[in-house]
Amino acid sequence: MHEVTIGIAGAAGDGLDKSGDTLARSCGRLGLYVYAYNSYQSIIRGGHIWLKVRIGEEKVYCHGDQLNVLVALNQDSIERHAGEVHQGGAIVFNGDRIKCDPSLVREGVQVLALPINDITKDLKEKYGPIKPIMQNTIAIGAVAYLAGIGLEEPSKVLNDTFAHKGQEVIDLNIGLLTAGYEYAKANAKVVADGWTFSKKRRPFVTGNEAIALAAYAAGCKFYSAYPMTPASTILHWMAANQTKTGILVKQCEDELSVINMAIGAGIAGVRSMCGTAGGGFALMTEAVGMAGIMEVPVICVEVQRGGPSTGLPTKTEQADLWQVYGASQGEFPRLIVAPRDIADAYDSTVEAFNLADKYQLPVLMISDLLLSEHPETVDPEAFPAEVKIDRGEIVEKWDESQGKYKRFKFTESGVSPRAIPGTPNTLYTHASDDHDEESILISDMFTAPPVRRKIMEKRQRKMVNMLKELKAPVLEGPADADVTLVCWGSTSGVVKEAAERMTAQGTKTNFLVIKYIAPFHTKEVTEILSKAKKKISVEVNFTSVMARFIRMETGIAMDGHVNRYDGEPLEPQGVIDSVKEILEGKQKDLDVSEAEAKEMVYHYLRTHSLEKLRPVKLTQEAANGKGEPTWNVEIAERVTGKPGATMVIGTKTGTTHSFTKAE
Amino acid sequence: MHEVTIGIAGAAGDGLDKSGDTLARSCGRLGLYVYAYNSYQSIIRGGHIWLKVRIGEEKVYCHGDQLNVLVALNQDSIERHAGEVHQGGAIVFNGDRIKCDPSLVREGVQVLALPINDITKDLKEKYGPIKPIMQNTIAIGAVAYLAGIGLEEPSKVLNDTFAHKGQEVIDLNIGLLTAGYEYAKANAKVVADGWTFSKKRRPFVTGNEAIALAAYAAGCKFYSAYPMTPASTILHWMAANQTKTGILVKQCEDELSVINMAIGAGIAGVRSMCGTAGGGFALMTEAVGMAGIMEVPVICVEVQRGGPSTGLPTKTEQADLWQVYGASQGEFPRLIVAPRDIADAYDSTVEAFNLADKYQLPVLMISDLLLSEHPETVDPEAFPAEVKIDRGEIVEKWDESQGKYKRFKFTESGVSPRAIPGTPNTLYTHASDDHDEESILISDMFTAPPVRRKIMEKRQRKMVNMLKELKAPVLEGPADADVTLVCWGSTSGVVKEAAERMTAQGTKTNFLVIKYIAPFHTKEVTEILSKAKKKISVEVNFTSVMARFIRMETGIAMDGHVNRYDGEPLEPQGVIDSVKEILEGKQKDLDVSEAEAKEMVYHYLRTHSLEKLRPVKLTQEAANGKGEPTWNVEIAERVTGKPGATMVIGTKTGTTHSFTKAE
Amino acid sequence: MATVIELPVETYKGAVDPDWCPGCGDFGVLRSVQEAAGRLGIKPENLFVVSGIGCSSNLPGFIHAYGIHSLHGRAVPVATGAHLANTDMKTVITGGDGDGYGIGVGHLLHAMRRNLDVTYVVMDNQIYGLTTGQTSPTTTKGHKTKSTPQGNIESPLNPLALAITSGATYVARGFSGEPKHLVDTIAGGMAHKGFALIDVFSPCVTYNKINTYPWFKERVYKLEEQNWDPSDFYKSIEKSYEWGDTIPLGVLYKTEMPTYEDGEPNLQKGALVKAKLGADKNVFKELVEEMI
Amino acid sequence: MATVIELPVETYKGAVDPDWCPGCGDFGVLRSVQEAAGRLGIKPENLFVVSGIGCSSNLPGFIHAYGIHSLHGRAVPVATGAHLANTDMKTVITGGDGDGYGIGVGHLLHAMRRNLDVTYVVMDNQIYGLTTGQTSPTTTKGHKTKSTPQGNIESPLNPLALAITSGATYVARGFSGEPKHLVDTIAGGMAHKGFALIDVFSPCVTYNKINTYPWFKERVYKLEEQNWDPSDFYKSIEKSYEWGDTIPLGVLYKTEMPTYEDGEPNLQKGALVKAKLGADKNVFKELVEEMI
Ligand SMILES: Cc1ncc(C[n+]2csc(CCOP(=O)(O)OP(=O)(O)O)c2C)c(N)n1
Ligand SMILES: Cc1ncc(C[n+]2csc(CCOP(=O)(O)OP(=O)(O)O)c2C)c(N)n1
Ligand code: SF4
Ligand code: SF4
Ligand SMILES: [Mg+2]
Ligand SMILES: [Mg+2]
């Protein structure tokens, strides 16, 4: 497969996402496929940001685990990432400010220190001093050369991006781009080229944008939200485009208000949606049950991030399954669906609106940070402007001669034809107390056990009937595989690549992506899994929630679990390695590795304002009276190389047994 | 077994619980065992109330399914319950106001219409007119005779109850009691007698009171709550006794405040608890995860009631398992425990405080309406005043020479010795963001994946270690049983009785009560269930949540499920019948039975202000163009017997196909 | 504006009879809401009556209208959503002091500063009725309730001062024992454009033995009879603190201000619920183009 | 009362340096809280600093004290619980306008009417900083933010009027650009017995381009320099509405009232955390006897 991966590293506020965007859009317009992942932190400025842009001639399903070109925007970034650049790759940085210690660089990697001052002389004369953030454009120019995508398309993208800022800004930026491009051309070898540019222009979209766009297509009229990473960009898109779409966008005072407003709008008869992250959803759960018992169509998007609690706000994780499944007390029908990728997020959203209306119930969409915030190029056909809109059984008119309208009529299907408030002669009350067909409370003086039994059964029948029209999951990859990987959400991209690579390497591997969680395709999944030879779940969490869920629904346990829960998303090679370990029957090793110990040292130094020091040597010691083997670390002064401190880290627990400054 | 069951029926506000209380306490003091169940409604006045008091010489574990004496406080109650009184029993009511249609009464049942006016003549002369509510005492007097418990003990109870109201009130009440007793003695045969009164005085307590009392014994200092049925009586007990116990009791503005205050108090170092029902708990979930990541000991009691949403506020159900299990986003250690009865509620509460402190985590106690609100006699030994108090590893003192105190030290056990705020030299921050050993955030600029991995593993190790000290569930009943019933919470009382009766009837039956939900005794439960012949879950819900949970933990599916979800608790015979159906391979019949159809008619008449009518004849019709068989009901005028209306009810759906008034 | 065709109070008779305790103040409020709606000629199918949970919050079940009997404390956001989705209907919120000023006060405050065009009638009995008698945010200091057997130690909040300072544009008080005046007050609120908060003394005869009908009867007087000028912001705030031997009823404060609906761009072309579903092709294309 | 031994500001230096944007107003607030604590001689181990979530709410991580960095909007109840459990410690709540006046305003209002003896310092930047610039409850009408690209259509709430009418007994305003005055204001609040609310203009240099340092500098003046009498309830409310060309800083309102702690029976014998654990045998017996 023809592809290249660019990494851009810097601090928050360095404007690095804009640069990545220019690059990605250029490729997207050329007809290449792009998948980008931004590993950022939640503070506004300063925190480390690591943006990976993977470009391929064929579709790329995850950010991969390669690194061909590194753009380092500060010194720290060199130290963290230089060693990751593969042979044949290149490292690009501002040579005026940043140094690259050759010992950090692998063999066969070009080091391209851009002499920013020199190459921008002319531009400075013409436009005045260049802001630091603009220097990124120079680097992008260099990358455009190294990645073999040419100058033309990036220039056009810059032209569009800065159109509202006037010609001077456009010219300056294109000037910077060109300077970087020319410098690289003169001083470096291309890292990738020979692309076939199909020129099919593909939108470069995040999962959140896809959901918002789909909501518009599906006829959503009301979107309420309270800002929370990683769901906020739905709100931002909705707000930015509100006058175009006609969707009323309401930022509320809290998430309780958010969902209750959305339900109110749903009651009134508009298609309504709300969105939040795990913590905000925790505040919404009571209302989900209300929508259930009132049989109100409403969509709620829950975007998972690193938890528990405030947790790791800008990190991806898939650990909210139980929260969503367990949302609200009691039992009531609802659809829980977890889209697997960006195109699927579009389809799922459209379907969500239709099923919500058809079955008159809340739909909970589980997304995750990676899916919601990473952008990728998507075929434009994946975003049809015209979609099916099915509002279900609606009572448009009711005559008193038809008898009393019964909002919650006990029907075979479980669905009772719905009259939208405002319709004459169909008046009723939406009650969160349980009620009979006519919406008269059965909770108060009237409790009649058989009535309660029947309304409960009516509601639950919706789950049975809805399941019939949901597409059952299917195995992807070779039918006769030796290994079956099981996953959900954004992890499916990595799993797909891992499975394909494993198959290519001789271990036939297929995979199963679970999309519908409630109702669940128990029959089909049981059939698939009971035939699978080795079943391994792959999830970004500690407790393998989906594997547990599947066991609940099918009784079938996995043969092994691949988990990652350190804040970073899974990558194909990591999955392959873990799967191999499982196949070989190895116990998962939880010890602190040397690389990890080193990172822990860096963490300690950074959090104790000791950035003048750095780890230089790590040795492992088995018996030392600490109750566990340890990593003994020699730490030196960065500049002088003189001994700075020693640190002892527990190999099992990871605790800092001691940190001793040199005298 | 020597026992008798008294039912008292009337409207809310009739003071019926007080009467039941007098009866039950009298028995409790005599050394008899009592179990009472109050099937009430959530409105303040008017709603139908049905109080059953089961009395036995040996311990009774549920309210059973017998009825020996009915005390009817209004006409409606006669109509609803007269037919339930078993042969040899009696029906007692105010003959001046209420009539009992002989056709409603089974053979061999005495009908005792108390001539209230007549028998209270003397009392009226002395004390003036008797308030309606006081007439209940006359009925209790009659019951005291019929149930063979004598006059002495009830008189003493009345004496204590009215002590604060003065001698005149006491005398009047004892006078009424005696009048009823004497009248019954002169006009009826005893229904039960020959009791052996051990005279062991046993407290008559609800589950909520047991929890509150246990909290006091365990050293709780802070209780916060917001009123919500069926948890409110914990708050009421706590408030009523606050000056005695020294527990600070705080009614908050909402449940968000409730749990966050409790966590704040836990952080500050006191033993703290809060309580609520399912709907209130939904608002608390976000904070549960905070307690998890901050490692704060705190207890939260979730009392389940009929759901979903506001649902059936005064009805029992066991359908909040997933809500509690799924409380809060992300993964964190917590103990989830569901006490099975009142004595166990006491022990569980004490243990909860100890484990919360020892493992520094939130404890979620799941109770249910039946357990929390039904009172029963409990052996006084079950409530020791002195209990074990284990506060876990506390750092009392810290010297700077010991190095920096690390609140979240990565330890083998997962538990980090805790310094209570106020301790010098141990200062730290409790953060809901993820953090390192020293409580420095790793969520913001510092994210270091291996640090995150290690703190996650540290926290999760607590679950592994805690499980080791929890008592594993054991099979109760014959080891070689043919049937194993599986249950949790208050259902265990009914299941115990059902299993014993089935065994006595020749089907050897044992049962398994699940108490600890997280962490779960996977090994032990798997061992037990994989050996069981027929496994049947018994739960008060629709979706068999505990059975599903067990399948998740063990992979083992039940062979059948007994469920009740009409608002009423299970009763032993109902369980036995359902189990037999399952054993016989019968499909669960969800059709509306004749009795149910009749009740549905009553429901319709009551909710349409047609109480002058009543159903007189029901016939089933198979083919009728309604898409389902129907119950065709003839409805007549109550007084004249003339045709009043006809009603057609669907046998499958339960819908009212038509209601047609007679011309 | 079309001439109003008044409707008789029976128009709004609910399917079931209220199950409140005999004598409960809420009966009077229910009837006043019905009369006010009739006076304004609002057809039942054009009326949303939204509540939370509580004795008082059972009201929507007892009135012929599109009722929403939502969650404890959430009447305001549910009503906001329903109202914004269908601005052609009139939205009246009805509920209790616990529901509105306790658990729900955050929503209330924010709705008032938005000057949302809805009417909120609070049946203030200074107690939690449905849960059998605990302290509420308006319970008098010292009052012994089930949750405060030693006497309530919190100061009650002043709903009228809160409403005025938060941005409500019609702030009034009624009393269930003064039904005619109450109808006027509620009808005034419903006719007002903007957020109307009407705090109504609605005695709980079962659990509040202090703030009873006679207690209020002795104290209340009508601002309208004193020619009160409700347009002065600061004077109205001051008036809202009058509490003791005399307690004012009536409209304390009233002003005209742009509503939330006036400012919301997507409400300028009519009710959302009547808008066509689905994307405009050109707009959609433009939106996708921005992503390329 | 013991004489106060002042402590140097370094006493409270946190383990890590703040990661706020350079120029963020919160730096000044942090330092002022540290100085105020030092002036009052509160030992770090006797100081609770409690926050919710937001840029401003990161403060507890940057001060040497027992910090609680809780949930968005829940600082007040967490602080209430911590404080009631250990009344021997001083409790200061620090957070943002979104945290305190948006999602958390219900708790705030109820805490104020309790007159809880805590100090609440709100870093009011009229924006949601941490979530990258959406509208907050104090955002000016018309302000274009990420969530209101057409301009905010809601009226901002007035935190000072809310505090005064709700029952706070020390209500003041500070400005991060007036550090000395800010220390005085915060120290005054911490020394005050009862609920102190201090709203501090703490500019967000990244997301609020309207309410900047210069914007405030041009407008603010100090009440103390004008001999303002903070004891008049109604005048203080009126003063709290002064906003535009001139904006007052300093103590708007101050009064002495019994606190929640004064009324709570179980706080009369000292801090709860120091009480003996376990039941008194006689009391326990009595409680069981009542059940028989
Ligand atoms: C989240 C939640 N918490 C608690 C309750 C229980 N609850 C029902 S009504 C009520 C208080 C009602 O008081 P108020 O609003 O004053 O109404 P009233 O009954 O006095 O009319 C409470 C606490 C609930 N339904 N939901
Ligand atoms: C329940 C919940 N909802 C949303 C968020 C996301 N969130 C974090 S901080 C914040 C707003 C912060 O604004 P403010 O309190 O004014 O603090 P600032 O950053 O401006 O100092 C929000 C919405 C959250 N953490 N939790
Ligand atoms: S309890 Fe009080 S508020 Fe509720 S219905 Fe009865 S009188 Fe009315
Ligand atoms: S975003 Fe604003 S509030 Fe947050 S740290 Fe930066 S300047 Fe301060
Ligand atoms: Mg009330
Ligand atoms: Mg802010």
Side-chain angles (χ1 to χ4, degrees), chain B residues 60-276:
Chain B
V60 282
Y61 289 91
C62 67
H63 63 277
D65 35 29
Q66 302 284 308
L67 183 60
N68 306 107
V69 178
L70 166 67
V71 178
L73 301 181
N74 58 21
Q75 190 63 45
D76 190 44
S77 301
I78 292 278
E79 210 148 310
R80 286 184 185 227
H81 302 289
E84 296 170 33
V85 181
H86 287 238
Q87 204 176 356
I91 301 175
V92 180
F93 53 90
N94 179 346
D96 299 346
R97 288 200 299 119
I98 300 169
K99 300 276 155 284
C100 181
D101 184 338
S103 74
L104 294 169
V105 183
R106 296 200 206 172
E107 221 174 300
V109 172
Q110 312 173 57
V111 174
L112 196 65
L114 300 171
I116 300 285
N117 252 326
D118 275 16
I119 61 178
T120 56
K121 260 197 198 122
D122 297 355
L123 291 164
K124 274 189 281 192
E125 258 163 41
K126 193 156 169 200
Y127 301 101
I130 314 286
K131 282 188 216 154
I133 200 164
M134 288 204 164
Q135 300 176 2
N136 303 349
T137 311
I138 306 172
I140 292 304
V143 172
Y145 174 75
L146 294 167
I149 60 166
L151 251 183
E152 190 187 335
E153 211 58 57
S155 304
K156 280 195 209 153
V157 170
L158 289 177
N159 191 76
D160 294 354
T161 308
F162 294 109
H164 64 292
K165 295 214 170 167
Q167 196 57 42
E168 192 169 303
V169 177
I170 295 174
D171 291 345
L172 166 58
N173 273 280
I174 294 181
L176 293 164
L177 186 83
T178 312
Y181 189 91
E182 295 301 342
Y183 182 81
K185 192 168 172 184
N187 296 283
K189 291 186 307 244
V190 292
V191 172
D193 65 352
W195 300 104
T196 310
F197 296 129
S198 75
K199 299 273 175 143
K200 176 164 184 171
R201 301 171 79 249
R202 292 193 179 85
F204 181 63
V205 200
T206 65
N208 277 352
E209 286 165 350
I211 288 172
L213 187 67
Y216 171 49
C220 175
K221 295 280 172 247
F222 189 90
Y223 183 76
S224 52
Y226 186 74
M228 189 161 191
T229 305
S232 300
T233 53
I234 305 180
L235 170 63
H236 298 164
W237 192 95
M238 286 287 194
N241 295 303
Q242 63 182 349
T243 46
K244 287 184 191 165
T245 61
I247 298 172
L248 193 154
V249 180
K250 183 82 206 81
Q251 179 187 326
C252 303
E253 61 274 15
D254 60 21
E255 288 87 352
L256 295 159
S257 185
V258 166
I259 190 163
N260 281 288
M261 271 197 203
I263 291 171
I267 286 173
V270 305
R271 291 197 145 184
S272 95
M273 179 162 100
C274 62
T276 187

Side-chain angles (χ1 to χ4, degrees), chain B residues 44, chain C residues 19-21 23-26 55-56 125 129-130 203-207:
Chain B
I44 304 303
Chain C
D19 53 7
W20 291 311
C21 306
C24 176
D26 298 349
C55 290
S56 41
N125 55 15
L130 190 62
C204 171
V205 295
T206 305
Y207 294 112

Side-chain angles (χ1 to χ4, degrees), chain A residues 44, chain D residues 19-21 23-26 55-56 125 129-130 203-207:
Chain A
I44 306 302
Chain D
D19 53 8
W20 291 311
C21 307
C24 176
D26 299 348
C55 291
S56 41
N125 54 15
L130 190 62
C204 171
V205 296
T206 305
Y207 294 111

Side-chain angles (χ1 to χ4, degrees), chain D residues 56 96-98 123-129 136:
Chain D
S56 41
D97 44 324
M123 285 158 266
D124 188 352
N125 54 15
Q126 301 168 259
I127 201 82
Y128 282 9
S136 100

Side-chain angles (χ1 to χ4, degrees), chain B residues 434-511:
Chain B
D434 216 347
H435 41 257
D436 68 12
E437 295 187 288
E438 299 180 5
S439 72
I440 297 174
L441 303 202
I442 54 172
S443 56
D444 277 349
M445 74 169 123
F446 314 121
T447 312
V451 175
R452 156 67 176 191
R453 179 162 87 75
K454 282 297 161 189
I455 186 120
M456 194 75 172
E457 289 164 4
K458 165 196 128 66
R459 282 194 296 258
Q460 294 290 348
R461 276 198 295 277
K462 296 195 217 173
M463 291 300 271
V464 180
N465 291 322
M466 184 164 55
L467 180 62
K468 293 180 193 151
E469 68 174 285
L470 301 179
K471 217 172 141 280
V474 289
L475 266 183
E476 300 173 54
D480 59 340
D482 301 313
V483 181
T484 298
L485 304 180
V486 180
C487 65
W488 61 301
S490 69
T491 300
S492 58
V494 192
V495 165
K496 180 180 163 72
E497 183 162 344
E500 284 170 1
R501 281 207 228 163
M502 284 180 62
T503 302
Q505 290 162 13
T507 311
K508 275 194 192 168
T509 307
N510 58 20
F511 64 103

